[in-house]
């Protein structure tokens, strides 16, 4: 049915044509039916337009190709040609800054992607790249539109290609608000951040029915690819929330910490938190005894403006913390060992988590603060066979390749290769500070003494007394707090209470840092 056939009467003048246009737009905005909207709400899900209204500043959304319809025939498609073709695209603002968005409308074809649907997404992605503004996808789709065959599949290819072209150029955020199965799941995996909502969003390559048919394993959709699974086990999801409203509010917060593109700095913010604020609390937070755990999050709270920061991948690889916050009003990325989890060691997952975070910060001009309290890499057959060498090298490569301002602070333990990998001065940190509680060494004193003084300990009348004496001797000679400073391996040993002041001052000095990498097409990072 044509547009003319859908509208009764022939407009007599321009005003009549405008009324006709308004009627069409209202039909597109309303969606397929009230019943479809009620069904969406009954699942605890918002409609695509309700989601966009939450994301963008009020009244700022400008829609693109609202009246687009598919041209496919067969399988009854020619009788069902709704406006928007199941995806709403356009741009608006978040806190006054331009953001592009596309949102699947599950009420139309289950949000499935067809040729026209894909073309709309391609267009808005191209616009975002050209304008140099973030792209947010609100995903709630049932995969490729089967009735359109390979034309629909080709549409995904165009999305993946643009995801890759936009990578490191504009921030890309995927918000999962419904099912995402098969090849469709690769687009979120290519973006910078993935948000999910518990119970209503799932991501998997093959669904529970296929898994059961092939492997005999029975599992629910949430058990296979729900928000908690991807937030805790797979690491696919960076943020998981209980409801859509909270999720989308947090997307707005994340956008406030990111630049528009790779040619801009993140937005600064006014703060009443003094740059020279001392924090004597830090003297009590971190125990001198290297074997006693503490919560590194509390240290970060003391350092950032108003104690406010956004942790990325909070529930995956918990032995390392990656977070965005502000110091002196300027956005910083923070990478920190977490002694409360696995004593803060580096393992395969922690290395991967931190490496990608460092790469993201470097791509978007976010200075990196590294807080070290690391006893080494996690030993074990599983780690070695799983490729800890290869995965640990990812973090090393990411730091070495980063040209943004990099400042590291050694709070306590910094042993072996893990110390080098965690942005030590030797791999290019601009400034390295240490607390008086630092222990920088090849390994812990006990292990070192057992190696160096093996014969003396074995030949002693009381090996335990001799071991204890040798441990103290090793600490006194090679692990005292000023050993590294005396050799220029750290720039200064500072009072923990003055850490915030030191960091804010250093960040201000490094704000104009410029560093060029050698000319090359691209590097070949370890995989």
């Amino acid at each position: 049915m044509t547009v003319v056939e859908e509208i009764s009467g022939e407009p007599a003048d321009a005003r009549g044509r405008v009324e006709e246009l308004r009627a069409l737009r209202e039909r597109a905005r309303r969606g397929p039916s009230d019943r479809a909207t009620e069904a969406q709400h009954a699942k605890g899900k918002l409609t695509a337009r309700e989601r966009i209204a939450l994301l963008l500043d009020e009244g700022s959304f400008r829609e693109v190709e609202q009246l687009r319809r598919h041209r496919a025939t067969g399988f009854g498609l020619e009788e069902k040609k709704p406006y928007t073709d199941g995806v709403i695209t356009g741009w608006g603002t978040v806190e006054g800054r331009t953001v592009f968005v596309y949102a699947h409308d599950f009420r139309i074809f289950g949000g499935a992607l067809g040729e026209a649907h894909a073309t709309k997404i391609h267009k808005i992605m191209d616009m975002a790249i050209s304008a140099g503004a973030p792209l947010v996808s609100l995903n709630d789709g049932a995969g490729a539109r089967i009735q359109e065959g390979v034309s629909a599949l080709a549409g995904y290819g165009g999305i993946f290609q643009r995801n890759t072209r936009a990578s490191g150029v504009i921030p890309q955020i995927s918000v999962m608000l419904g099912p995402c199965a098969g090849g469709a799941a690769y687009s979120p995996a290519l973006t910078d951040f993935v948000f999910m909502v518990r119970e209503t969003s799932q991501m998997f390559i093959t669904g529970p029915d296929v898994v059961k048919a092939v492997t005999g394993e029975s599992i629910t959709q949430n058990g296979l690819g729900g928000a908690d699974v991807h937030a805790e086990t797979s690491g696919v999801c960076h943020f998981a929330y209980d409801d859509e409203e909270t999720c989308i509010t947090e997307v707005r917060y994340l956008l406030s910490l990111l630049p528009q593109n790779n040619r801009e700095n993140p937005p600064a913010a006014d703060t009443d938190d003094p740059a020279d604020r001392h924090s004597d609390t830090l003297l009590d937070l971190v125990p001198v005894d290297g074997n006693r755990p503490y919560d590194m999050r509390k240290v970060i709270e003391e350092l950032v403006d108003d104690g406010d920061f956004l942790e990325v991948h909070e529930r995956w690889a918990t032995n390392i913390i990656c977070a965005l916050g502000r110091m002196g009003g300027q956005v910083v990325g923070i990478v920190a060992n977490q002694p409360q989890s696995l004593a803060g060691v580096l393992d395969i997952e922690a290395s991967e988590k931190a490496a990608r975070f460092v790469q993201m910060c470097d791509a978007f001009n976010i200075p990196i603060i590294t807080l070290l309290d690391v006893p080494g890499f996690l030993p074990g057959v599983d780690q070695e066979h799983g490729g800890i060498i290869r995965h640990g090298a990812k973090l090393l490569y990411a730091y070495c390749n980063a040209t943004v301002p990099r400042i590291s602070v050694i709070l306590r333990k910094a042993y072996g290769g893990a110390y080098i990998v965690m942005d030590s001065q030797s791999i290019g940190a601009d400034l390295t500070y240490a607390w008086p509680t630092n222990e920088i060494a090849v390994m812990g004193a006990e292990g070192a003494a057992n190696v160096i003084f093996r014969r003396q300990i074995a030949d002693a009348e009381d090996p335990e007394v001799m071991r204890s004496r040798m441990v103290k001797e090793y600490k006194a000679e090679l692990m005292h707090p000023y050993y590294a400073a005396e050799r220029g391996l750290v720039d200064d040993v500072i009072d923990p209470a003055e850490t915030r002041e030191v960091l804010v001052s250093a960040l201000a000095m490094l704000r104009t840092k410029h560093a060029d990498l050698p000319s090359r097409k691209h590097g070949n990072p370890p995989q």
Side-chain angles (χ1 to χ4, degrees), residues 369-372 407-411 432-435 494 499 503:
I369 305 292
T370 305
L371 305 177
L372 285 89
I407 306 170
S408 60
V409 182
I410 301 161
L411 280 61
T432 304
Y433 297 104
W435 286 4
I494 62 173
T499 304
L503 290 176

Side-chain angles (χ1 to χ4, degrees), residues 167-180:
S167 181
V169 178
I170 57 171
Q172 299 181 84
I173 300 173
S174 297
V175 188
M176 314 311 296
L177 302 166
C180 184

